[in-house]
Amino acid sequence: MDQFISDFLVEKNFQQLATNFVPHYTTLVSKVGGIISPENLGRIQAALKEANLKDVADIIEESLKAAENAPLDVAVIGESGTGKSSFINALRGVSYEEEGFAGVGVVETTMKKTPYQHPKYPNVTFWDLPGTGTPNFHPHEYLEMVEFATYDFFIIISSSRFTLNDALLAQNIKEIGKKFYFVRTKVDNDLYNEKKSKPTSFKREGVLQRIRDNCLANLSHIGVPEPCIFLVSNFDLDDFDFPILEETLLNELPVHKRYTFVLLLPNLSDASIEMKRAFLKEKIWLDALKSSALSFIPFMACFNGFDLPQQEKCLNLYRSHFGLDENSVKGIAEKLSMSLEDIKSFTKSLTIQFLMQDDSIADKAMKCAECYCSVNGGLPSTLFQFFKIYFLHLKFINTVADDAKILLHKTLKSLSLRR
């Protein structure tokens, strides 16, 4: 059991709990940064000191709603043919010519800023902004036209050399206090061409370092000091610098927007899956703490159950977060040349009955005891609430995350065999 929750349930020394809360939470989220702001951490700590458990629950609820509903607007800027639309499609997990696919073409297909919602997370929008170097646009009109101040951060894309206009854009973004990131696309094409033209002397790492050095020198020359360059392939996001870009964006986003950002990331590696698992486990911990605090209030626990329909809804949500919803699993099955039944044979979270068996005598006895305790409140009710919510959710999230890893490894192995 989580030590802080254990102390909370058993000792009820709220002065000591208040002292331990922030250090414990900081340790809990040390690898991912957390989704509660320092201000709200202080408010929770103050409420604990006063043994005001209703305020503790309310502040946690407020923080979780802010994280779940936070809008995220990402601007992607680049000239025609740089791969900006393909980059947006890859982040949204949308295949070529699928509904909602961002238009791709050598000729400028984006004549004005174009929003593309994430298909799973409607509060996330990627904005395909017009390139500044085409004849259709004039730099002095650009900033006003695209409404720069409305975006959370900016991705400036090039498939060769960054231009003076890119440097001017970066300077303006910096002046309004926003973050920008230079992304060099199509490095897979560069590697292919280099290997084909110099088969005997080709060295992958040497080519990548040369591309990086050229970009750094280019940007320094046009007035961007100490730029961060990320080399990516829109068709192999798990390769090159995209995982580093993910981590950088996560660390530099405002606290309340990290949760949304992490959920939209594709499952590219074990590390990205673990990142999602960590954020969801934090949310589970906060939900359990909130529910435990409310359970000290008589009758309140009756309104915070976790019955079978809620369990099914919760499991489906976790599957969606990890790309194991019905449509995604069908796509994986096609890639692996397997049937859905084959995939279900080596996974656990795709069969609801496996995780939702609730007809045992012990389970029925637990329900009777819980019903009694929820009316009386106090420690017994709190214990039941914590065990039910925390451990059931934890079981769900760990099972789904483990299945996501299994399918990722099988997919990567299948792709490697075809190359």
Side-chain angles (χ1 to χ4, degrees):
M1 181 188 291
D2 181 273
Q3 187 60 50
F4 181 83
I5 298 282
S6 177
D7 292 343
F8 180 82
L9 297 175
V10 178
E11 294 182 9
K12 293 181 285 183
N13 181 340
F14 292 108
Q15 289 291 327
Q16 187 61 44
L17 287 168
T19 300
N20 294 342
F21 173 70
V22 173
H24 183 87
Y25 179 80
T26 302
T27 301
L28 178 72
V29 303
S30 60
K31 293 183 179 179
V32 293
I35 58 178
I36 294 187
S37 68
E39 178 188 358
N40 280 346
L41 286 178
R43 291 173 62 200
I44 293 172
Q45 190 174 41
L48 282 171
K49 284 181 180 178
E50 299 296 325
N52 190 337
L53 301 183
K54 180 65 165 58
D55 276 4
V56 170
D58 288 345
I59 297 165
I60 292 174
E61 178 69 12
E62 173 190 322
S63 298
L64 290 176
K65 282 187 176 180
E68 291 170 346
N69 300 323
L72 187 64
D73 291 277
V74 181
V76 184
I77 305 169
E79 296 183 14
S80 298
T82 57
K84 60 176 178 176
S85 296
S86 295
F87 184 80
I88 290 172
N89 292 326
L91 284 177
R92 295 170 63 236
V94 179
S95 302
Y96 180 64
E97 290 185 342
E98 192 175 333
E99 184 178 354
F101 187 85
V104 176
V106 176
V107 179
E108 180 67 69
T109 58
T110 309
M111 304 305 293
K112 58 182 180 179
K113 64 176 188 176
T114 307
Y116 293 97
Q117 273 190 334
H118 194 284
K120 286 185 180 179
Y121 306 104
N123 54 329
V124 178
T125 306
F126 294 91
W127 294 86
D128 190 342
L129 301 190
T132 60
T134 64
N136 299 323
F137 298 99
H138 304 285
H140 65 278
E141 300 172 353
Y142 187 89
L143 298 181
E144 182 179 352
M145 179 181 64
V146 301
E147 298 177 307
F148 253 46
T150 61
Y151 308 106
D152 290 293
F153 61 87
F154 301 79
I155 304 289
I156 302 175
I157 285 183
S158 175
S159 59
S160 55
R161 295 175 64 84
F162 291 96
T163 67
L164 179 59
N165 282 339
D166 295 328
L168 293 174
L169 284 174
Q171 183 60 38
N172 279 273
I173 293 168
K174 185 177 180 179
E175 287 175 359
I176 62 174
K178 298 293 182 74
K179 297 286 187 178
F180 60 90
Y181 308 90
F182 289 104
V183 170
R184 169 61 158 80
T185 58
K186 302 187 180 183
V187 292
D188 50 336
N189 290 348
D190 293 306
L191 289 173
Y192 174 81
N193 292 333
E194 187 76 10
K195 186 174 183 179
K196 190 172 182 180
S197 61
K198 302 175 183 176
T200 56
S201 61
F202 172 79
K203 291 184 179 180
R204 172 188 163 105
E205 291 307 318
V207 175
L208 292 175
Q209 188 58 52
R210 189 163 65 248
I211 295 172
R212 192 184 309 278
D213 290 344
N214 288 341
C215 287
L216 288 170
N218 168 218
L219 285 168
S220 297
H221 178 70
I222 59 179
V224 182
E226 301 180 355
C228 288
I229 307 290
F230 300 93
L231 310 183
V232 305
S233 163
N234 293 334
F235 301 102
D236 292 295
L237 288 182
D238 58 314
D239 206 351
F240 311 110
D241 292 342
F242 188 79
I244 302 172
L245 176 61
E246 282 183 342
E247 187 175 345
T248 302
L249 292 173
L250 181 63
N251 290 334
E252 296 186 354
L253 273 172
V255 170
H256 66 290
K257 302 210 177 202
R258 292 173 183 165
Y259 180 74
T260 296
F261 177 74
V262 121
L263 293 183
L264 68 85
L265 295 175
N267 295 339
L268 301 177
S269 64
D270 284 355
S272 63
I273 292 173
E274 287 303 324
M275 194 182 298
K276 282 189 185 182
R277 192 202 304 249
F279 267 89
L280 290 167
K281 284 175 72 174
E282 178 194 351
K283 183 178 181 297
I284 292 169
W285 185 86
L286 290 168
D287 273 325
L289 180 59
K290 178 191 72 175
S291 183
S292 298
L294 289 174
S295 297
F296 272 97
I297 306 169
F299 295 100
M300 186 64 71
C302 292
F303 303 101
N304 291 276
F306 191 46
D307 57 18
L308 188 60
Q310 288 174 310
Q311 292 174 23
E312 183 174 358
K313 182 179 179 180
C314 172
L315 183 59
N316 288 336
L317 181 63
Y318 290 151
R319 288 176 184 163
S320 178
H321 289 332
F322 283 94
L324 298 184
D325 53 278
E326 185 176 352
N327 288 336
S328 298
V329 172
K330 285 180 180 178
I332 293 170
E334 290 178 7
K335 289 180 182 178
L336 296 176
S337 300
M338 291 183 177
S339 67
L340 287 176
E341 291 305 314
D342 289 336
I343 289 183
K344 288 180 180 180
S345 70
F346 56 79
T347 56
K348 297 179 180 179
S349 65
L350 302 184
T351 305
I352 294 176
Q353 291 77 9
F354 184 86
L355 293 174
M356 296 186 178
Q357 296 174 355
D358 66 341
D359 56 352
S360 66
I361 294 175
D363 183 73
K364 291 178 181 178
M366 178 73 79
K367 285 184 177 179
C368 291
E370 179 184 11
C371 184
Y372 169 81
C373 291
S374 65
V375 173
N376 290 276
L379 178 61
S381 176
T382 303
L383 285 166
F384 277 119
Q385 285 300 316
F386 173 72
F387 278 117
K388 180 174 67 174
I389 293 177
Y390 185 72
F391 287 111
L392 276 175
H393 276 272
L394 200 59
K395 178 181 180 182
F396 289 173
I397 195 64
N398 283 333
T399 305
V400 176
D402 290 344
D403 283 350
K405 281 188 175 183
I406 290 170
L407 290 172
L408 171 67
H409 294 166
K410 287 186 176 291
T411 301
L412 293 177
K413 183 178 179 180
S414 175
L415 290 173
S416 67
L417 292 174
R418 295 175 188 174
R419 289 174 178 171

